[in-house]
Amino acid sequence: MGTTFQWSVLKVSGMQRWNAWGANSGALLCEEEDTRIRILAGVGPSKSALLTSSLVHLTPVSTAKNGVSSKSRKRVMPEPVTEPPVTDPIYEALLYCNIPSVAERSMEGHAPHHFKLVSVHVFIRHGDRYPLYVIPKTKRPEIDCTLVANRKPYHPKLEAFVSHMSKGSGASFESPLHSLPLYPNHPLCEMGELTQTGVVQHLQNGQLLRDIYLKKHKLLPSDWSTDQLYLETTGKSRTLQSGLALLYGFLPDFDWKKIHFRHQPSALFCSGNCFCPVRNQYLEKEQRRQYLLRLKNSQLERTYEDMARIVDVPTKQLRAANPIDSMLCRFCHNVSFPCTRNGCIDMEHFKVIKTHQIEDERERREKKLYLGYALLGAHPILNQTVSRMQRAAEGRREEVFALYSAHDVTLSPVLSALGLMEARFPRFAARLILELWQDREKPSEHSVRILYNGVDVTFHTSFCQDHRKHSSKPMCPLENLVRFVKRDMFVALGSSGSTNYYDACHREGF
């Protein structure tokens, strides 16, 4: 065995960048089952916001087998207590894991007393999951995906959640969702399965939103109806289960007869508007940029070669297995990296791959090819959201709480399209929220707030970054967001003459 680690939690208050780098921000395989393209879906670092954050410390614990000291593995982790002055791949990986600890502070629902909350639109990434890939010729990490009370992380509603899910067999789900399990329940996780950590992450998210939106702002009445919710998920068990965990935290012991989850076949949530040749061309150019950068990184290539030697496979095969996916899971769950008779994969391998991903994202921001992909990729879901907001502003009470349970490759384009190019890559159980507010003193005026993982990023968006220069209101006019989605997104593409999504997707001479 190699070195194992004990988790301890340190509460730290201080200046933390809301938009530093995520741990998994490099080339990722799109999580859509029918998609086999590697895409760069990430966003990176910049400005600061005052936050209280939980940092997980990893304390090395010596173990030995066959008389071999674990110290020979040299897997001693740093213990960050404040955000490092330069990007640290280990620090970023800890933040990406998003291990549940104490309740976090958040800015959701903050508004002057004369503003009324009208509707809320929530986009989440699924919670912590088992890897999608296996490192060749190594044993799968032994992680238990059953939900039990005597294992950390824990949530007070965990047992009640399991009990309630066991009663949901007659729920109204679109096909093929009705064939999916409603909660994880395998002693050895299946590939891509949601873990107990993932369930707890979203129970916490749901409880936080309940305290703010229901208890404080009375967004829904106690006798809420089916048509006041809009619930949509991709066809993966991890997204359906994440959505149900958040919903249970938000509406404990909800009436199953009132719940209707819609199925979204595309990870972009583009519904009937997924065919977009120009978007795919942007993606191809971005992939080419990413490939060329990788070729320049001799240290990365040596690292892959060494890892391939350890597991005794060709370097190409090792790289194709996306080893960072399995390594991140082991890292987040305090499971040692694998060893063979040829040696051990270790933390230095991990750090080299993570550091390259960070460099890759820095170049991505400069060349902006991903922005073109993001604008076209995110337009359908943003257009749907804006239309829902406009109906709510007109006084209609349908779909006042919308939940999209999705993937990193869903949230990342939306963040970039909104102008949050430097937002931290979507961690496990990340949440992006759009709030719609009405000014009671001027009932015809509606405003929006944008929050990412509890941080108000409204004035970092491209459509509202200049608004507070000439307004004292702590929100952005709804008209700004509408204009951005209906017109300015196409202007940002530089598509002369394109004033709608179809034309932008099919313009000639790109």
Side-chain angles (χ1 to χ4, degrees):
M1 289 185 58
T3 302
T4 58
F5 298 92
Q6 291 179 334
W7 296 97
S8 61
V9 177
L10 176 65
K11 188 74 175 177
V12 179
S13 181
M15 294 298 290
Q16 175 182 309
R17 288 187 311 212
W18 61 270
N19 48 3
W21 286 101
N24 202 18
S25 57
L28 297 174
L29 192 67
C30 180
E31 291 189 347
E32 291 179 84
E33 191 168 13
D34 59 349
T35 306
R36 295 293 182 266
I37 52 176
R38 290 189 179 273
I39 74 170
L40 180 72
V43 283
S46 180
K47 306 169 181 126
S48 299
L50 186 60
L51 293 177
T52 302
S53 64
S54 297
L55 297 180
V56 180
H57 282 202
L58 295 174
T59 306
V61 180
S62 296
T63 60
K65 187 175 183 179
N66 299 328
V68 180
S69 169
S70 63
K71 292 183 179 180
S72 63
R73 292 287 302 279
K74 297 183 179 179
R75 292 187 56 202
V76 179
M77 292 244 198
E79 297 191 354
V81 293
T82 58
E83 182 150 342
V86 294
T87 304
D88 180 342
I90 301 303
Y91 176 87
E92 296 301 332
L94 291 173
L95 295 177
Y96 174 84
C97 295
N98 191 22
I99 303 299
S101 55
V102 294
E104 62 179 300
R105 295 174 59 185
S106 71
M107 293 296 291
E108 281 100 345
H110 284 226
H113 65 89
H114 57 89
F115 278 82
K116 175 186 176 183
L117 183 64
V118 177
S119 67
V120 173
H121 310 262
V122 182
F123 305 78
I124 60 170
R125 184 191 177 188
H126 58 75
D128 177 83
R129 60 156 172 79
Y130 197 73
L132 298 172
Y133 310 91
V134 175
I135 297 175
K137 295 188 178 182
T138 65
K139 188 178 180 181
R140 287 174 51 190
E142 294 184 2
I143 297 173
D144 188 344
C145 275
T146 57
L147 304 181
V148 295
N150 61 355
R151 185 174 67 234
K152 294 183 179 181
Y154 174 71
H155 190 277
K157 293 186 182 298
L158 185 64
E159 294 98 326
F161 169 75
V162 173
S163 175
H164 198 65
M165 292 304 105
S166 67
K167 304 171 186 175
S169 57
S172 174
F173 294 163
E174 284 185 356
S175 179
L177 300 179
H178 61 265
S179 64
L180 298 177
L182 302 185
Y183 61 96
N185 193 29
H186 292 95
L188 175 60
C189 297
E190 295 187 342
M191 304 305 289
E193 185 172 9
L194 195 69
T195 66
Q196 177 163 317
T197 300
V199 170
V200 171
Q201 286 167 337
H202 278 303
L203 285 173
Q204 283 191 353
N205 275 341
Q207 184 173 350
L208 183 148
L209 300 186
R210 173 180 175 79
D211 290 343
I212 296 169
Y213 295 136
L214 297 188
K215 292 184 178 180
K216 180 179 179 181
H217 290 289
K218 315 298 182 185
L219 178 67
L220 294 173
S222 58
D223 60 344
W224 56 272
S225 59
T226 301
D227 61 4
Q228 290 178 300
L229 304 182
Y230 182 88
L231 310 172
E232 189 169 3
T233 177
T234 60
K236 302 294 185 183
S237 63
R238 60 184 174 274
T239 50
L240 175 61
Q241 293 165 5
S242 293
L244 287 169
L246 185 145
L247 192 64
Y248 189 79
F250 187 62
L251 295 166
D253 300 319
F254 55 74
D255 184 348
W256 279 105
K257 295 177 182 178
K258 295 183 178 182
I259 302 302
H260 177 65
F261 262 98
R262 294 163 175 83
H263 171 241
Q264 175 53 244
S266 168
L268 287 176
F269 282 67
C270 47
S271 302
N273 298 298
C274 293
F275 182 64
C276 186
V278 172
R279 181 196 68 218
N280 295 339
Q281 291 174 42
Y282 274 117
L283 183 57
E284 290 169 4
K285 290 177 182 289
E286 171 59 25
Q287 291 169 333
R288 178 66 176 170
R289 179 207 62 76
Q290 192 177 31
Y291 172 71
L292 292 175
L293 183 66
R294 180 174 64 79
L295 290 183
K296 297 177 185 176
N297 192 333
S298 57
Q299 184 185 23
L300 178 69
E301 187 61 24
R302 288 194 301 271
T303 297
Y304 279 132
E305 289 173 355
D306 189 49
M307 292 171 65
R309 176 193 60 78
I310 290 170
V311 298
D312 194 24
V313 298
T315 303
K316 185 177 181 180
Q317 180 182 347
L318 184 281
R319 191 187 299 114
N322 196 22
I324 191 65
D325 184 55
S326 180
M327 295 172 79
L328 272 167
C329 178
R330 292 170 180 270
F331 180 91
C332 293
H333 285 265
N334 197 26
V335 176
S336 295
F337 294 143
C339 291
T340 72
R341 62 184 181 183
N342 298 325
C344 294
I345 293 175
D346 60 28
M347 191 56 64
E348 293 307 311
H349 295 121
F350 179 80
K351 289 166 66 175
V352 168
I353 299 174
K354 284 300 307 126
T355 300
H356 173 75
Q357 291 178 335
I358 294 169
E359 292 300 322
D360 186 281
E361 290 293 340
R362 287 173 180 157
E363 185 183 86
R364 179 193 66 79
R365 293 201 313 276
E366 296 172 2
K367 300 202 172 179
K368 297 184 179 180
L369 293 169
Y370 184 76
L371 176 60
Y373 167 80
L375 287 165
L376 290 171
H379 186 269
I381 194 171
L382 288 176
N383 190 50
Q384 183 185 119
T385 300
V386 162
S387 296
R388 190 173 289 117
M389 283 183 162
Q390 289 178 305
R391 292 194 297 271
E394 292 168 358
R396 297 176 61 176
R397 292 294 297 163
E398 299 88 5
E399 300 177 353
V400 295
F401 180 81
L403 172 63
Y404 295 92
S405 189
H407 305 267
D408 49 10
V409 293
T410 314
L411 267 66
S412 186
V414 174
L415 289 165
S416 293
L418 291 173
L420 304 171
M421 292 292 292
E422 297 176 340
R424 180 172 264 121
F425 182 84
R427 67 191 188 189
F428 285 130
R431 65 183 189 273
L432 173 68
I433 297 180
L434 280 67
E435 299 174 346
L436 178 65
W437 296 82
Q438 180 186 44
D439 189 339
R440 288 190 177 96
E441 296 177 353
K442 298 178 181 178
S444 62
E445 293 188 6
H446 290 79
S447 301
V448 296
R449 296 177 74 231
I450 317 293
L451 300 107
Y452 185 45
N453 294 331
V455 179
D456 187 346
V457 296
T458 306
F459 297 110
H460 295 281
T461 61
S462 58
F463 58 87
C464 213
Q465 58 187 359
D466 297 325
H467 177 68
R468 62 176 164 188
K469 293 179 181 178
H470 50 79
S471 174
S472 59
K473 288 188 176 181
M475 302 186 193
C476 187
L478 174 60
E479 294 77 17
N480 284 33
L481 176 59
V482 173
R483 183 169 56 249
F484 172 73
V485 173
K486 303 294 185 182
R487 186 196 71 185
D488 294 348
M489 289 182 76
F490 308 120
V491 174
L493 286 166
S495 51
S496 58
S498 296
T499 58
N500 60 69
Y501 178 71
Y502 180 87
D503 289 346
C505 281
H506 295 84
R507 75 181 191 269
E508 300 289 335
F510 170 70

